[in-house]
Amino acid sequence: MKHLPRILIVEDEPAIAELIAVNLRHGGFDPVVAEDSVSAQRELDAVLPDAILLDWMLPGQSGLALARHWRKQARTKSIPILMLTARGDEPDKVAGLDAGADDYITKPFSTQELLARIRAVLRRRAPESVNDSVAVGALVLDAATHRISYQGQELKLGPTEFKLLHYLMKHAERVHSRSSLLDKVWGDHVFIEERTVDVHVKRLREALGTAGTMVETVRGAGYRLTAMAANNPVVAAVSGAQSSA
């Protein structure tokens, strides 16, 4: 059964909350409604949503205060938050974004705009999916069977190294910075150090064996996967020296 993105709607006006929920269902989402900060926290404690639509003006704790609170909590700090409010002045927008909101939607808004903003936030927060196959020189990755081979010999990679290699192979000969690899492979909702990429590149090279020279270090820039290194002994030697750096 296909997973529908779960959207927590924190809105104290029942008519507005129900209207948003209906439109989200029609748009392919699974909406859950909370009317205040207490019920919103209860929903978060039960099941983490894929995104939160958060009204600024709420009884008790404001949406602004809630956003700040959730951004400080390890369990909720990575959930995309879209602030809903009638306050459209620039200082208010800045305040909402500074509180941790990923986007800011001013009432009244169209259904299509709301759905488009949610999809955009989810795309930005999602790591690149592994759903196809690719070959670079004698290195072949079959995503359907989760198999990798080099010169006909099957290789064994861990899940993170598999995703990293798949992305590098799909974008071969390009240089990728550590931060871009974090966004595309891990997803920008994952809060880890950029040096973590170096650790996984090292593991990837070790798992690839002789094909490890295809993963080049471009000093001051990042990493690149190239077929040239495997075919050129000089390049392979240089790349091998870089891999130990």
Side-chain angles (χ1 to χ4, degrees):
M1 187 175 183
K2 184 179 179 182
H3 166 73
L4 298 179
R6 184 183 181 89
I7 311 298
L8 175 61
I9 304 166
V10 188
E11 168 63 63
D12 65 317
E13 296 187 39
I16 295 178
E18 181 58 27
L19 179 61
I20 293 174
V22 168
N23 285 314
L24 288 185
R25 287 191 196 95
H26 290 163
F29 297 97
D30 176 22
V32 178
V33 176
E35 70 277 5
D36 55 30
S37 60
V38 175
S39 55
Q41 188 61 56
R42 188 185 308 122
E43 293 292 344
L44 282 174
D45 291 341
V47 180
L48 287 180
D50 293 282
I52 300 172
L53 293 180
L54 179 60
D55 187 33
W56 183 306
M57 303 299 291
L58 292 171
Q61 196 170 18
S62 72
L64 209 61
L66 270 180
R68 291 195 186 100
H69 172 72
W70 289 335
R71 281 292 175 256
K72 293 177 182 177
Q73 306 303 309
R75 187 168 178 267
T76 55
K77 67 180 181 180
S78 64
I79 302 174
I81 298 175
L82 296 91
M83 192 74 77
L84 302 176
T85 179
R87 307 165 70 114
D89 294 337
E90 184 175 351
D92 293 325
K93 292 182 179 180
V94 171
L97 295 172
D98 283 346
D102 295 89
D103 204 348
Y104 191 104
I105 306 176
T106 305
K107 299 177 182 177
F109 48 82
S110 72
T111 299
Q112 293 307 311
E113 179 188 7
L114 177 63
L115 295 177
R117 295 283 191 95
I118 294 173
R119 293 188 186 107
V121 164
L122 293 178
R123 279 198 304 271
R124 290 199 299 269
R125 293 282 175 152
E128 181 151 313
S129 60
V130 177
N131 56 10
D132 60 1
S133 299
V134 64
V136 177
L139 186 62
V140 180
L141 183 149
D142 187 336
T145 60
H146 217 271
R147 288 179 175 171
I148 303 159
S149 64
Y150 179 65
Q151 296 179 341
Q153 298 296 313
E154 189 168 347
L155 305 173
K156 299 295 183 183
L157 270 68
T160 300
E161 286 71 41
F162 182 93
K163 289 192 294 183
L164 176 59
L165 177 62
H166 190 229
Y167 182 78
L168 290 172
M169 291 178 71
K170 285 172 65 180
H171 304 86
E173 309 302 336
R174 301 181 192 175
V175 177
H176 306 279
S177 67
R178 293 180 180 89
S179 61
S180 69
L181 288 174
L182 281 176
D183 287 351
K184 298 298 184 180
V185 179
W186 281 264
D188 68 357
H189 62 293
V190 179
F191 293 85
I192 56 178
E193 296 291 332
E194 289 188 359
R195 296 296 293 183
T196 302
V197 176
D198 300 337
V199 174
H200 286 283
V201 167
K202 183 174 184 293
R203 292 177 181 171
L204 174 60
R205 284 175 173 144
E206 291 171 351
L208 290 176
T210 55
T213 56
M214 296 174 67
V215 183
E216 294 183 335
T217 299
V218 181
R219 295 194 182 280
Y223 296 103
R224 168 178 56 209
L225 187 131
T226 176
M228 294 175 60
N231 299 325
N232 188 323
V234 175
V235 174
V238 173
S239 180
Q242 290 174 335
S243 68
S244 61

